[in-house]
Amino acid sequence: MSEESRYDLPDLAAMERLGAAIADALRPGDVIALEGGLGAGKTTLARAIIAALGYAGEVPSPTFTIIETYDAPPLRVPVAHADFYRLEHPEEAQEIGLDDYRDGAALIAEWPDHAGGFAHESACLSIRLETVSKSEDAGRIAIARSGPDWLGRLP
């Protein structure tokens, strides 16, 4: 069973509010699977979640490192932030030790399909980000599908 919600994100402040709402509900073992095309706002939302969890530093995109980790403290919940865009085969996620990074932490996964996907996990919140228009500063919408463990956790 999953629940689908839609969030209008007309500006960065709205993206940050969504990130804060997700951070407030986040638990170790959760997966936030961020989907959408290049420039859709996946890294921006990941940064908003990590900042809302208590991280004050710069949050680099893990495009080249594939996985960046953030410990608790200072975060309320430890996080592994992954960008699987460069993986050519889902098995590569296991080869880089994804399970070790996930142990006791929440996972924020950009391009989750490149790692085989996570939607089958009960603690997965899948969010598809889409731009509303073609302009670079366009607003976005977020379509969230929550696994059973996420039901009722987001406004």
Side-chain angles (χ1 to χ4, degrees):
M1 179 178 182
S2 71
E3 183 177 283
E4 188 171 288
S5 302
R6 179 186 168 114
Y7 301 90
D8 289 316
L9 306 171
D11 52 30
L12 182 58
M15 183 81 79
E16 290 171 349
R17 284 191 299 274
L18 177 59
I22 293 167
D24 285 346
L26 197 65
R27 302 174 186 158
D30 285 344
V31 177
I32 308 300
L34 301 176
E35 304 166 355
L38 290 170
K42 296 178 295 296
T43 301
T44 301
L45 182 54
R47 288 177 174 143
I49 295 166
I50 293 167
L53 285 169
Y55 189 75
E58 183 180 334
V59 176
S61 171
T63 300
F64 294 102
T65 58
I66 301 179
I67 298 178
E68 293 283 341
T69 59
Y70 300 88
D71 297 325
L75 271 62
R76 184 180 63 75
V77 174
V79 169
H81 176 202
D83 183 333
F84 298 118
Y85 181 76
R86 294 185 328 121
L87 298 187
E88 294 182 17
H89 304 285
E91 304 81 44
E92 291 178 78
Q94 299 314 312
E95 291 170 11
I96 61 173
L98 180 59
D99 290 340
D100 293 332
Y101 287 107
R102 291 185 65 182
D103 189 28
L107 172 64
I108 301 174
E110 299 183 41
W111 300 96
D113 56 317
H114 289 221
F118 302 93
H120 63 280
E121 296 185 22
S122 62
C124 182
L125 176 65
S126 296
I127 300 174
R128 176 155 191 82
L129 294 164
E130 299 176 359
T131 55
V132 175
S133 74
K134 298 283 184 200
S135 80
E136 210 167 291
D137 58 348
R140 288 160 173 67
I141 59 167
I143 302 162
R145 292 178 316 282
S146 52
D149 290 359
W150 273 92
L151 294 178
R153 286 168 57 189
L154 282 179

